[in-house]
Amino acid sequence: NNLLITNLDYSIEEIQVFDVSGKLVLTHTNCYNTMIQIATDRLSSGLYILKTKEKNKIRTAKFIKQ
């Protein structure tokens, strides 16, 4: 039950996970790595929005926890 996030361009500084209602359910700060593994075992099944911050860029993606 892990989510693997990789970014080969820059180190990821911060990760936030939101549920579909927009509630922040998970956050990791001071990551500064190009590959991060996040335990998702505490998340309920459903759709989530992942937001990553790296060197002047913010990226978003969706994922489904089954």
Side-chain angles (χ1 to χ4, degrees):
N1 288 342
N2 291 320
L3 176 64
L4 182 62
I5 302 167
T6 59
N7 182 6
L8 301 177
D9 296 333
Y10 299 104
S11 293
I12 297 168
E13 298 170 16
E14 182 179 24
I15 297 169
Q16 295 176 318
V17 177
F18 299 88
D19 64 15
V20 289
S21 69
K23 179 182 174 187
L24 179 64
V25 294
L26 197 144
T27 186
H28 284 271
T29 57
N30 300 320
C31 304
Y32 298 102
N33 203 336
T34 57
M35 185 177 355
I36 298 165
Q37 189 168 331
I38 297 176
T40 58
D41 54 342
R42 293 185 182 175
L43 298 178
S44 301
S45 296
L47 179 66
Y48 291 89
I49 298 164
L50 172 74
K51 183 176 175 181
T52 61
K53 180 181 176 185
E54 74 239 15
K55 190 183 179 174
N56 304 330
K57 280 189 184 180
I58 295 176
R59 298 181 193 214
T60 58
K62 295 177 186 174
F63 71 94
I64 297 173
K65 164 75 174 10
Q66 295 183 336

